[in-house]
Every structure is written in C-alpha cells, then in structure tokens.
Amino acid sequence: MTNREIFRKLSELRSLGVPACLATVTGTSGSTPRETGAKMVVCADGATYGTVGGGCGENKVRSAALRCLLTTKKPELVKVDLTDDLGTGGGAVCGGEMLVFVEPVGKPGK
Amino acid sequence: MKKIKDADQRPDILSRAAGLLAAGETFCLATVIASGRPDAPPGLKAIVRSGGEPEELSLPPGLAPGLRDLALAAINEKESRTVEAEPGLSVFLDVISAEAGLLICGAGHIALPLARFALETGFNVTVLDDRPDFASAARFPGCAVIAESFIPALRAMPLGPSSYAVVITRGHEHDAECLAEILPRETAYTGLIGSRRRVAFVLAMLGEKGIPRKRLDEVFTPIGIPIGSESPGEIALSIAAELVCVRRLGARAARALRAAREVTND
C-alpha cells in the first residue's frame, strides 16, 4: 500500500470508530525487507493493511500493535532482528535490523 | 484530560497529512519516537511544510526551530530518517513525497491494467481519451478520467519535470497529436507505444513539426522494459516496470536495461 492508501485507510477506520495502530519503519541497518517510512495499519481485531516486510518480523510488530491497542495504550519502538542464521529453521534471514514505531492512532477509547 | 487530548491530536494531524498528500505537496511528518521529556512524549507529531512554520504547533517551545531545520534538510534530501533532536529525544522525520503524476493518453486495452499497476505502485493516475465509452470513471477506479479531445485537454493539463506520460492511443495520428502537446514541455518520462515502423513515422512527423531532435530522442519507444511482452497485461507490466525504474533509479538506468536487452537479442 502506498502512503496515500495508508492515510485513506486510517481516516476510514477513524470515521468508523475502529481503534487502530500505525506501525512505521523508522530506521534500518543491513538488508531489510522494507525501507524506512514503510507503514502498516493494525486493527484491534488483528486485521492488517500494508506491510512492514511480512514474515516473523511483521508478526512481532503486529503483536506489539495488539498489545498497544488492547492493554498498554502506549506507543512502542520495536526492534526487528532479521539476522537468523541461514538453514537453521529461523525465518528472518535478510541479514539486517529494523526499528518500527508502533502507535495508537484510532479513535480515543471513550 | 491531557492524555485524551494527546490521543486526539494524532488522527487530526494524520488527516491533515492525508490532505496535503492528496493536494500533491511534499512535506515532513515528524513523530517523537523516544523521549524522556513529559512535554514531548512518544507519538507527538508535527507537520513541517517546505514553506516554513510547522503546520501543527504541538511541539514544545525550544524544540520547534531546531526540528524544523532538521525536517527541511530531510525534505531537501528526500530522505526519511531518525534524528536526535536533543540528547535523549529521537524524532522520526518521515518525508512524505508527492506522488508522481502519470498521464495515460488512450484508454484502451493496455490502459486498464497499466492504470491498476500504476496506482498500486504509487502514481497519481490520469486517463485521457476522446471516447467517453472508454474514458469512463467506472473503467478506471481511483483515477482521474478525462473524456475530451486530446489537444485541448492536454493544453489545459499541468505537466512538469515530475510528470510521467504514456502515449498509447488507438492510432498513430492521435499519438502524434498528443506528443506534439507533451514534448514541448519538460517531463520525467514520455513513452510511446508502437512497432518500430509506426513510431519512426510518428517521430519523423513530429520532427517536421519542429519538435527538437533531442526531445524526440528522449521518448521511450518502443515503450516498456523489454521482457518479451505480448498480451495487454504483459505490455502494461513492462511499461509500469519502466515507470518505476525511472522514478527510483532515473532515466539512464531505464535506458541501460533496454541497451542490455539489445545486446542479447537474438
């Protein structure tokens, strides 16, 4: 999804009153599946729009977003480590590292 | 009370960002991502426009001027990045770039998949054809659709150094008409469909009309990255790939891909 589509989705969710989190890649080092600025929207029911790279790394971000939406209500900076060794069963083998900022952006709780 | 206010201002800034992007503006969306300052908590956002003042004055005094300079530098360098606005205070400067405009002249079989691919890859798409049945909003969801004669429509159209134009009309006379309006202006990319015979004829016609040789040489034709496309979908894919290549890597890189194919052509 492009920034345009992400922003459109956020305003659509807001108008529906659906709480959501915005996850944004704020920094990378080494080889990563997405670039700085890539975004994903996560809703409280687990639905996601856009991608921060897929796979285990994205799942870690999604979990952080759900934690934020359902319990902490606070932004979180998530470190996604993609330096698993090749051939050892780990899926995150791109070789780099991403920092992803996860923040609630939906309608306030009340 | 304050908490709710903080949570409330974020969506508003994001709506504002959406509006600026839709209006074709490049700007910086700044977000505090790590902080020990109670007056600048993580999630606090500001919009910095290339013109000057922060759009949203939610930044604590003392922080705004320095951050604005850093944001303007990021905009100038077209690079999103995280900066240390002051010790212990990290701010992500997201440079939200205006989408490149793609004009598709000709709303036929190739235009349909091309419009879809171009939307998907972040172009702001306009489709132009003089046949209302073809240039209809229903056929091109998400695009601006203009059903008018090519020449007056193109004369009224803002084209510039960040514009991409793909000329794929139903006939070489219309192709020539469109190019005669497009080529006198600077574009990031102009591509023309057709067999070598057809495009040679069109370019020769335009040369006779006084379009400079240099501009004619810059036309990407035959259009698209050479991947052996045959069907409309395949051709649209090769055109979309060329547009992305020019946007990400520049026209030289896109020409190098063509040259590489010519070397191995057999």
Side-chain angles (χ1 to χ4, degrees), chain B residues 2-246:
Chain B
K2 179 150 190 314
K3 257 209 161 102
I4 289 170
K5 202 176 150 210
D6 283 348
D8 233 340
Q9 56 101 22
R10 280 196 288 273
D12 287 339
I13 291 195
L14 289 169
S15 301
R16 182 71 187 133
L20 291 174
L21 182 57
E25 194 172 318
T26 297
F27 58 94
C28 177
L29 180 60
T31 305
V32 174
I33 60 171
S35 160
R37 274 176 74 152
D39 60 349
L44 184 73
K45 288 183 187 297
I47 287 173
V48 179
R49 301 171 67 177
S50 44
E53 293 302 301
E55 174 79 9
E56 306 289 342
L57 297 170
S58 55
L59 292 172
L63 187 57
L67 192 62
R68 185 162 65 237
D69 291 345
L70 290 166
L72 290 174
I75 292 172
N76 278 333
E77 289 157 39
K78 296 180 183 165
E79 190 192 77
S80 298
R81 59 176 80 134
T82 298
V83 296
E84 206 75 4
E86 58 181 48
L89 189 105
S90 296
V91 180
F92 177 54
L93 301 174
D94 196 358
V95 178
I96 308 284
S97 295
E99 295 187 318
L102 168 65
L103 168 65
I104 305 176
C105 297
H109 298 295
I110 294 167
L112 282 177
L114 177 58
R116 287 200 299 270
F117 296 151
L119 284 175
E120 190 73 25
T121 47
F123 287 89
N124 184 3
V125 182
T126 301
V127 181
L128 167 65
D129 201 307
D130 57 358
R131 301 167 296 174
D133 288 352
F134 287 78
S136 77
R139 268 164 60 85
F140 295 96
C143 303
V145 182
I146 304 173
E148 282 176 29
S149 299
F150 290 109
I151 294 174
L154 286 167
R155 280 187 187 156
M157 195 165 296
L159 290 174
S162 61
S163 304
Y164 292 67
V166 166
V167 179
I168 48 173
T169 76
R170 64 187 176 281
H172 65 275
E173 293 93 348
H174 292 303
D175 287 346
E177 271 176 27
C178 291
L179 287 170
E181 296 303 322
I182 294 166
L183 290 177
R185 289 178 272 178
E186 194 187 342
T187 51
Y189 173 96
T190 301
L192 168 65
I193 204 162
S195 64
R196 286 181 195 278
R197 179 166 178 263
R198 169 170 158 166
V199 302
F201 182 78
V202 169
L203 294 177
M205 259 173 81
L206 291 164
E208 282 163 24
K209 279 190 177 176
I211 306 284
R213 182 80 234 164
K214 182 177 169 295
R215 277 302 272 152
L216 295 176
D217 288 344
E218 284 168 358
V219 176
F220 280 78
T221 191
I223 200 167
I225 299 278
I227 54 173
S229 303
E230 297 284 353
S231 71
E234 291 171 350
I235 293 166
L237 181 65
S238 79
I239 298 171
E242 191 159 79
L243 298 173
V244 170
C245 182
V246 171

Side-chain angles (χ1 to χ4, degrees), chain A residues 6-15 20 22 41 105, chain B residues 14:
Chain A
I6 291 282
F7 286 142
R8 185 181 300 154
K9 179 55 76 180
L10 286 174
S11 67
E12 181 190 322
L13 292 170
R14 179 159 171 82
S15 68
L22 175 63
V41 177
V105 292
Chain B
L14 289 169

